[in-house]
Amino acid sequence: LFEEEFHIPVKVTNDANAAAMGEMKYGAAVGVRDFLMVTLGTGVGSGFVSNGELIHGHDGFAGELGHVIAVRNGRSCGCGRNGCLETYCSATGIVRTATEMLQNYEGESLLKNFDNISAKDIAYSAQKNDTLAVKIFDDTARILGQTLADAVAITSPQLIVLFGGLAQAGDVLFTPLKKYVEDNLLNLYQNKINIIPSKLPESDAAVLGSAALVL
Ligand SMILES: [Zn+2]
């Protein structure tokens, strides 16, 4: 449709695939042939790069890690199924976890001071060593780590790059995440995979990636 309208070649890709291209051309994955890009935003997206090429699948829809079922019979997902990774590990998912846990939490917590809790508030509180917020990040990292360990068994990446709001939480996410990934990896893959935050500015990765795709 766009090609007809604008008379230029147009390539269509999802945000995570575009971000993966951006990371490969300009970011944390320059020179890396096998990596996994995971975006932790409102939802969870992913792009798998194998042998320097994005995996598209036969229909262009490859790499939907956000809708891999991370918890059987778990939370209901917008896709109509239950327990998808993004219902736990997106910015929206971690807020859902915080809201659930706060309901039965008797102890003191910085999280009780926020009206409409955001993922940023949870990260801030965890960075201040708030017991409940640290626990929320630990639970989120466990579910993400288990699923990433499973994903590693499929494409054996050298690197996993995390992008998006939650990926900026720093050590409160990455320290437990690295532990849970290693705990769940098949021994063949242990101590070989680097997990790092994106080096691209939040607003730029998708744009850079889209540009890289066209170039
Ligand atoms: Zn889903």
Side-chain angles (χ1 to χ4, degrees):
L1 185 77
F2 288 114
E3 291 196 32
E4 283 169 23
E5 210 162 318
F6 298 112
H7 307 287
I8 51 168
V10 173
K11 298 194 178 187
V12 176
T13 189
N14 70 33
D15 284 3
N17 281 346
M21 297 295 288
E23 214 68 66
M24 190 159 45
K25 296 272 178 187
Y26 316 102
V30 171
V32 180
R33 308 276 295 163
D34 297 275
F35 72 97
L36 169 53
M37 179 91 201
V38 181
T39 60
L40 305 170
T42 318
V44 172
S46 65
F48 288 78
V49 174
S50 178
N51 201 21
E53 302 255 351
L54 250 180
I55 298 177
H56 296 288
H58 82 278
D59 52 5
F61 292 127
E64 284 291 349
L65 203 59
H67 295 279
V68 161
I69 294 176
V71 178
R72 292 285 154 193
N73 304 311
R75 290 176 180 169
S76 68
C77 182
C79 73
R81 300 175 311 142
N82 295 310
C84 294
L85 183 67
E86 77 170 31
T87 66
Y88 295 89
C89 301
S90 60
T92 323
I94 199 170
V95 168
R96 231 165 135 175
T97 304
T99 309
E100 281 177 17
M101 288 178 81
L102 267 170
Q103 277 172 355
N104 304 308
Y105 193 71
E106 309 271 314
E108 291 285 308
S109 173
L110 290 172
L111 295 176
K112 293 187 172 175
N113 300 328
F114 299 101
D115 284 336
N116 259 321
I117 290 183
S118 69
K120 234 179 190 167
D121 299 333
I122 305 165
Y124 166 84
S125 304
Q127 285 154 5
K128 298 273 173 205
N129 233 354
D130 182 88
T131 307
L132 181 62
V134 168
K135 164 92 173 106
I136 292 166
F137 263 94
D138 192 78
D139 281 9
T140 306
R142 178 175 44 80
I143 294 171
L144 183 58
Q146 288 166 350
T147 305
L148 290 179
D150 287 346
V152 164
I154 299 168
T155 57
S156 187
Q158 173 186 353
L159 174 71
I160 299 173
V161 184
L162 302 186
F163 179 77
L166 264 192
Q168 290 167 9
D171 289 347
V172 295
L173 176 68
F174 281 86
T175 303
L177 179 63
K178 287 174 182 176
K179 173 189 167 303
Y180 286 118
V181 169
E182 289 298 330
D183 284 355
N184 287 282
L185 279 176
L186 181 65
N187 55 10
L188 285 173
Y189 307 115
Q190 281 167 359
N191 303 309
K192 287 181 185 172
I193 300 155
N194 209 2
I195 305 175
I196 57 169
S198 167
K199 287 184 180 161
L200 299 174
E202 174 83 6
S203 54
D204 287 5
V207 175
L208 288 172
S210 303
L213 209 70
V214 174
L215 293 170

